Amino acid sequence: MTANTRFGTLVIPEERIIHLPAGLAGFPEAHRFVLLERAANSTLRWLQCLDPEGPTFLVVDPFLVDPDYPLDQVRRAMNDCGLAIGADDPLAVAAVVAIPPEPEAPTANLLAPIVVQVDSRRGAQVILHESGYRTREALRIS
Amino acid sequence: MLILTRRRGERIRIGEHIEVVVTQMRRGLVRLGISAPPGVPIFREEIYQAIVRENQRAARPARERLPELERALDKP
């Protein structure tokens, strides 16, 4: 598909499009996304919405921020959404990063990751109710 | 808004597939059990609102801070 984004007009092959049927909290119309590398060695990636006027996010692998990130809770939350039924379904997990103006510190939302079932490329922003994480966790790479 | 009075153990049914049960009431706290089909998200309202705020904040990154942040985060 072709989409006009802040990165200009992007032509994205179907197999790279991520579908979030429920949208994101606060962005209920944002359904189709693509993950874009920033640089070969970059920890952060862009998650660009392909729908008209769609938002752009920075995301980070939450397992880099916390090596003990609870994959079992991620899997359970996806299961509750009906998006990953099999116990071995491969999942991709991304935490939304906020970079506020100085002097506030950058944070990652470890409470509500965006999780995608890799085979179907369908996903959702889920809430890890029992994780104890907040929406603003310090963005440090462990 | 519809307001209903329920005792402990009593239920409320919303449509065909959603059920809410009052499991415990103590010191001003009410514990609810909620059954809903897969795909119906259930949130504590204040947490949902916090995530909305966080997504909106994240969609406006201070881009001028990105190079410095990436130098700190990225592997060589």
Side-chain angles (χ1 to χ4, degrees):
Chain A
M1 73 174 288
T2 304
N4 293 315
T5 71
R6 68 192 296 167
F7 303 107
T9 302
L10 299 181
V11 181
I12 306 294
E14 183 59 32
E15 66 272 15
R16 284 190 56 205
I17 299 175
I18 293 164
H19 297 265
L20 306 183
L24 291 182
F27 297 91
E29 304 303 323
H31 298 293
R32 292 175 295 180
F33 288 84
V34 66
L35 209 46
L36 302 170
E37 302 289 336
R38 282 182 46 76
N41 63 344
S42 180
T43 305
L44 301 178
R45 286 189 283 181
W46 294 113
L47 183 65
Q48 173 64 50
C49 180
L50 300 171
D51 293 303
E53 313 287 314
T56 309
F57 298 97
L58 283 160
V59 294
V60 68
D61 177 351
F63 298 95
L64 292 178
V65 183
D66 181 354
D68 296 323
Y69 200 66
L71 182 60
D72 56 327
Q73 292 184 35
V74 170
R75 197 169 281 287
R76 203 155 54 238
M78 280 295 275
N79 209 312
D80 289 346
C81 296
L83 284 167
I85 306 302
D88 300 321
D89 287 1
L91 301 178
V93 190
V96 179
V97 168
I99 307 182
E102 300 264 18
E104 280 184 83
T107 56
N109 184 350
L110 298 189
L111 173 65
I114 296 170
V115 188
V116 176
Q117 208 281 13
V118 173
D119 295 331
S120 66
R121 300 191 317 281
R122 287 161 60 84
Q125 186 171 30
V126 302
I127 301 184
L128 308 184
H129 290 285
E130 293 149 32
S131 66
Y133 289 122
R134 297 162 300 177
T135 54
R136 297 180 188 178
E137 296 289 346
L139 179 56
R140 272 188 239 103
I141 300 302
S142 307
Chain B
M1 181 187 284
L2 173 67
I3 297 174
L4 303 170
T5 304
R6 302 274 64 196
R7 295 177 198 283
R8 188 168 52 203
E10 290 185 337
R11 292 164 190 266
I12 290 170
R13 182 164 288 275
I14 303 169
E16 193 141 349
H17 303 294
I18 298 175
E19 194 176 82
V20 182
V21 57
V22 180
T23 62
Q24 198 180 77
M25 289 178 287
R26 202 166 59 185
R27 294 196 207 110
L29 294 180
V30 180
R31 244 174 121 76
L32 302 173
I34 303 161
S35 309
V40 176
I42 300 166
F43 309 104
R44 292 177 178 87
E45 175 65 16
E46 68 278 13
I47 293 178
Y48 180 74
Q49 292 302 338
I51 293 166
V52 167
R53 275 197 306 278
E54 205 51 33
N55 282 345
Q56 288 169 343
R57 187 165 167 263
R60 297 185 304 270
R63 294 184 122 204
E64 70 280 6
R65 296 183 72 184
L66 253 177
E68 171 213 351
L69 180 65
E70 292 210 298
R71 271 197 299 279
L73 291 177
D74 294 349
K75 298 163 214 87

